[in-house]
Amino acid sequence: MAIDDILENKDENAKSFMDGIIEQPKASGGYGSAAATEKEQSVIGKNIKFRGELVGTENLHIEGTIEGTVIMEGHDLSVGAGGELNANIHAKNIVVEGQLTGDALADELIEIRRTAAVKGNLIAPRIKLDDGGKFRGSMDMVDTDSEMKERHKEFKEKLVHPNLPPAEAAKQASGKKSGSAFDSKIPETPSFTQPKAAAKEDKKKDDQKEKEE
């Protein structure tokens, strides 16, 4: 075998070896794919714990612990296998691979993967439950736009965190109810006429004592 043939075989072997190490990007569709990651997405890591009202205007992936409410209106929300939510949530699409305790409203799709454990009521036009996924609660698959608007209206009350002011108080503060927010009873300020009256009475007593003497 010529030296040139040996060198050519070596180059081909080296090339095939490197092809095995460097993985070529694969085009795949679906939520969570390379196509989906092109959009802006925030991530809550596994070492993060959050309590309260979480509101966002971009896609969100959760691997940590959330307690309260999560509102991603018009954007996608995904809960990783290590994620744990004790919250009522609203998003465009919701994918759960971890734990969710609470009610969920999605404008398009709720998907419960095989590793998920969900306890709560689900509302969405489409709901998908993978084989092996654990679910306890109710499913409401909305048919019409008018029904969806109604569900949105009803669900707003569930998106107020218990530690925040109640919906009724928020309405009063914003002036949505008739009357002013200051219509509520304000404690009366202490009257400063009482000390004066007491002083007069003391003076009278002193005068009477002087007369008696």
PDB file of all heavy atoms in Angstrom, residues 86-103:
ATOM      1  N   ASN A  86     -46.923  25.583  44.447  1.00  0.00           N
ATOM      2  CA  ASN A  86     -48.124  25.595  45.272  1.00  0.00           C
ATOM      3  C   ASN A  86     -48.791  26.931  44.962  1.00  0.00           C
ATOM      4  O   ASN A  86     -48.675  27.903  45.697  1.00  0.00           O
ATOM      5  CB  ASN A  86     -47.759  25.473  46.751  1.00  0.00           C
ATOM      6  CG  ASN A  86     -48.988  25.369  47.631  1.00  0.00           C
ATOM      7  OD1 ASN A  86     -50.120  25.286  47.148  1.00  0.00           O
ATOM      8  ND2 ASN A  86     -48.790  25.402  48.928  1.00  0.00           N
ATOM      9  N   ALA A  87     -49.464  26.970  43.790  1.00  0.00           N
ATOM     10  CA  ALA A  87     -49.910  28.253  43.269  1.00  0.00           C
ATOM     11  C   ALA A  87     -51.036  28.082  42.255  1.00  0.00           C
ATOM     12  O   ALA A  87     -51.175  27.030  41.640  1.00  0.00           O
ATOM     13  CB  ALA A  87     -48.728  28.958  42.601  1.00  0.00           C
ATOM     14  N   ASN A  88     -51.813  29.145  42.089  1.00  0.00           N
ATOM     15  CA  ASN A  88     -52.746  29.247  40.978  1.00  0.00           C
ATOM     16  C   ASN A  88     -52.010  29.935  39.837  1.00  0.00           C
ATOM     17  O   ASN A  88     -51.328  30.941  40.061  1.00  0.00           O
ATOM     18  CB  ASN A  88     -53.984  30.040  41.375  1.00  0.00           C
ATOM     19  CG  ASN A  88     -54.821  29.324  42.416  1.00  0.00           C
ATOM     20  OD1 ASN A  88     -54.871  28.094  42.459  1.00  0.00           O
ATOM     21  ND2 ASN A  88     -55.474  30.077  43.284  1.00  0.00           N
ATOM     22  N   ILE A  89     -52.147  29.396  38.617  1.00  0.00           N
ATOM     23  CA  ILE A  89     -51.329  29.889  37.510  1.00  0.00           C
ATOM     24  C   ILE A  89     -52.170  30.190  36.273  1.00  0.00           C
ATOM     25  O   ILE A  89     -53.191  29.552  36.025  1.00  0.00           O
ATOM     26  CB  ILE A  89     -50.204  28.889  37.162  1.00  0.00           C
ATOM     27  CG1 ILE A  89     -50.779  27.521  36.757  1.00  0.00           C
ATOM     28  CG2 ILE A  89     -49.245  28.723  38.329  1.00  0.00           C
ATOM     29  CD1 ILE A  89     -49.725  26.505  36.349  1.00  0.00           C
ATOM     30  N   HIS A  90     -51.697  31.158  35.490  1.00  0.00           N
ATOM     31  CA  HIS A  90     -52.339  31.517  34.229  1.00  0.00           C
ATOM     32  C   HIS A  90     -51.256  31.803  33.196  1.00  0.00           C
ATOM     33  O   HIS A  90     -50.326  32.574  33.449  1.00  0.00           O
ATOM     34  CB  HIS A  90     -53.224  32.757  34.409  1.00  0.00           C
ATOM     35  CG  HIS A  90     -53.832  33.233  33.128  1.00  0.00           C
ATOM     36  ND1 HIS A  90     -54.124  34.554  32.886  1.00  0.00           N
ATOM     37  CD2 HIS A  90     -54.188  32.561  31.991  1.00  0.00           C
ATOM     38  CE1 HIS A  90     -54.652  34.689  31.683  1.00  0.00           C
ATOM     39  NE2 HIS A  90     -54.691  33.495  31.113  1.00  0.00           N
ATOM     40  N   ALA A  91     -51.368  31.165  32.025  1.00  0.00           N
ATOM     41  CA  ALA A  91     -50.416  31.386  30.938  1.00  0.00           C
ATOM     42  C   ALA A  91     -51.070  30.993  29.609  1.00  0.00           C
ATOM     43  O   ALA A  91     -52.176  30.461  29.582  1.00  0.00           O
ATOM     44  CB  ALA A  91     -49.139  30.577  31.166  1.00  0.00           C
ATOM     45  N   LYS A  92     -50.360  31.263  28.539  1.00  0.00           N
ATOM     46  CA  LYS A  92     -50.861  30.891  27.209  1.00  0.00           C
ATOM     47  C   LYS A  92     -50.834  29.373  27.046  1.00  0.00           C
ATOM     48  O   LYS A  92     -51.831  28.739  26.715  1.00  0.00           O
ATOM     49  CB  LYS A  92     -50.008  31.559  26.132  1.00  0.00           C
ATOM     50  CG  LYS A  92     -50.487  31.320  24.711  1.00  0.00           C
ATOM     51  CD  LYS A  92     -49.574  32.026  23.730  1.00  0.00           C
ATOM     52  CE  LYS A  92     -50.010  31.776  22.295  1.00  0.00           C
ATOM     53  NZ  LYS A  92     -49.085  32.429  21.341  1.00  0.00           N
ATOM     54  N   ASN A  93     -49.677  28.772  27.262  1.00  0.00           N
ATOM     55  CA  ASN A  93     -49.506  27.314  27.275  1.00  0.00           C
ATOM     56  C   ASN A  93     -48.831  26.919  28.575  1.00  0.00           C
ATOM     57  O   ASN A  93     -47.909  27.601  29.031  1.00  0.00           O
ATOM     58  CB  ASN A  93     -48.641  26.849  26.094  1.00  0.00           C
ATOM     59  CG  ASN A  93     -49.321  27.069  24.761  1.00  0.00           C
ATOM     60  OD1 ASN A  93     -50.323  26.442  24.448  1.00  0.00           O
ATOM     61  ND2 ASN A  93     -48.785  27.991  23.969  1.00  0.00           N
ATOM     62  N   ILE A  94     -49.258  25.811  29.166  1.00  0.00           N
ATOM     63  CA  ILE A  94     -48.682  25.334  30.426  1.00  0.00           C
ATOM     64  C   ILE A  94     -48.248  23.880  30.254  1.00  0.00           C
ATOM     65  O   ILE A  94     -49.047  23.041  29.839  1.00  0.00           O
ATOM     66  CB  ILE A  94     -49.694  25.444  31.588  1.00  0.00           C
ATOM     67  CG1 ILE A  94     -50.090  26.912  31.817  1.00  0.00           C
ATOM     68  CG2 ILE A  94     -49.120  24.851  32.870  1.00  0.00           C
ATOM     69  CD1 ILE A  94     -51.239  27.101  32.791  1.00  0.00           C
ATOM     70  N   VAL A  95     -46.983  23.606  30.543  1.00  0.00           N
ATOM     71  CA  VAL A  95     -46.451  22.237  30.498  1.00  0.00           C
ATOM     72  C   VAL A  95     -45.900  21.899  31.880  1.00  0.00           C
ATOM     73  O   VAL A  95     -45.057  22.633  32.405  1.00  0.00           O
ATOM     74  CB  VAL A  95     -45.344  22.086  29.439  1.00  0.00           C
ATOM     75  CG1 VAL A  95     -44.779  20.671  29.457  1.00  0.00           C
ATOM     76  CG2 VAL A  95     -45.886  22.409  28.051  1.00  0.00           C
ATOM     77  N   VAL A  96     -46.372  20.809  32.476  1.00  0.00           N
ATOM     78  CA  VAL A  96     -45.953  20.427  33.829  1.00  0.00           C
ATOM     79  C   VAL A  96     -45.239  19.079  33.782  1.00  0.00           C
ATOM     80  O   VAL A  96     -45.806  18.082  33.331  1.00  0.00           O
ATOM     81  CB  VAL A  96     -47.160  20.352  34.796  1.00  0.00           C
ATOM     82  CG1 VAL A  96     -46.682  20.033  36.207  1.00  0.00           C
ATOM     83  CG2 VAL A  96     -47.951  21.648  34.787  1.00  0.00           C
ATOM     84  N   GLU A  97     -43.998  19.080  34.250  1.00  0.00           N
ATOM     85  CA  GLU A  97     -43.241  17.831  34.412  1.00  0.00           C
ATOM     86  C   GLU A  97     -42.974  17.548  35.881  1.00  0.00           C
ATOM     87  O   GLU A  97     -42.613  16.442  36.245  1.00  0.00           O
ATOM     88  CB  GLU A  97     -41.912  17.919  33.651  1.00  0.00           C
ATOM     89  CG  GLU A  97     -42.083  17.987  32.136  1.00  0.00           C
ATOM     90  CD  GLU A  97     -40.752  18.103  31.416  1.00  0.00           C
ATOM     91  OE1 GLU A  97     -39.862  18.814  31.933  1.00  0.00           O
ATOM     92  OE2 GLU A  97     -40.600  17.474  30.360  1.00  0.00           O
ATOM     93  N   GLY A  98     -43.141  18.561  36.733  1.00  0.00           N
ATOM     94  CA  GLY A  98     -42.901  18.420  38.176  1.00  0.00           C
ATOM     95  C   GLY A  98     -44.198  18.377  38.955  1.00  0.00           C
ATOM     96  O   GLY A  98     -45.160  17.728  38.553  1.00  0.00           O
ATOM     97  N   GLN A  99     -44.234  19.133  40.076  1.00  0.00           N
ATOM     98  CA  GLN A  99     -45.402  19.107  40.964  1.00  0.00           C
ATOM     99  C   GLN A  99     -46.162  20.431  40.895  1.00  0.00           C
ATOM    100  O   GLN A  99     -45.564  21.503  40.932  1.00  0.00           O
ATOM    101  CB  GLN A  99     -44.957  18.859  42.405  1.00  0.00           C
ATOM    102  CG  GLN A  99     -44.331  17.488  42.624  1.00  0.00           C
ATOM    103  CD  GLN A  99     -43.953  17.265  44.076  1.00  0.00           C
ATOM    104  OE1 GLN A  99     -44.665  17.670  44.994  1.00  0.00           O
ATOM    105  NE2 GLN A  99     -42.828  16.617  44.310  1.00  0.00           N
ATOM    106  N   LEU A 100     -47.468  20.313  40.804  1.00  0.00           N
ATOM    107  CA  LEU A 100     -48.339  21.491  40.818  1.00  0.00           C
ATOM    108  C   LEU A 100     -49.523  21.235  41.732  1.00  0.00           C
ATOM    109  O   LEU A 100     -50.263  20.273  41.533  1.00  0.00           O
ATOM    110  CB  LEU A 100     -48.834  21.818  39.405  1.00  0.00           C
ATOM    111  CG  LEU A 100     -49.959  22.866  39.319  1.00  0.00           C
ATOM    112  CD1 LEU A 100     -49.495  24.221  39.843  1.00  0.00           C
ATOM    113  CD2 LEU A 100     -50.481  22.993  37.892  1.00  0.00           C
ATOM    114  N   THR A 101     -49.669  22.085  42.747  1.00  0.00           N
ATOM    115  CA  THR A 101     -50.849  22.056  43.617  1.00  0.00           C
ATOM    116  C   THR A 101     -51.526  23.408  43.477  1.00  0.00           C
ATOM    117  O   THR A 101     -51.008  24.419  43.958  1.00  0.00           O
ATOM    118  CB  THR A 101     -50.454  21.805  45.081  1.00  0.00           C
ATOM    119  OG1 THR A 101     -49.732  20.570  45.168  1.00  0.00           O
ATOM    120  CG2 THR A 101     -51.690  21.718  45.967  1.00  0.00           C
ATOM    121  N   GLY A 102     -52.655  23.416  42.798  1.00  0.00           N
ATOM    122  CA  GLY A 102     -53.351  24.673  42.545  1.00  0.00           C
ATOM    123  C   GLY A 102     -54.116  24.596  41.239  1.00  0.00           C
ATOM    124  O   GLY A 102     -54.015  23.616  40.494  1.00  0.00           O
ATOM    125  N   ASP A 103     -54.873  25.636  40.958  1.00  0.00           N
ATOM    126  CA  ASP A 103     -55.677  25.687  39.741  1.00  0.00           C
ATOM    127  C   ASP A 103     -54.880  26.335  38.613  1.00  0.00           C
ATOM    128  O   ASP A 103     -54.059  27.224  38.854  1.00  0.00           O
ATOM    129  CB  ASP A 103     -56.964  26.472  39.983  1.00  0.00           C
ATOM    130  CG  ASP A 103     -57.858  25.780  41.011  1.00  0.00           C
ATOM    131  OD1 ASP A 103     -57.682  24.566  41.231  1.00  0.00           O
ATOM    132  OD2 ASP A 103     -58.724  26.452  41.601  1.00  0.00           O
TER     133      ASP A 103
END
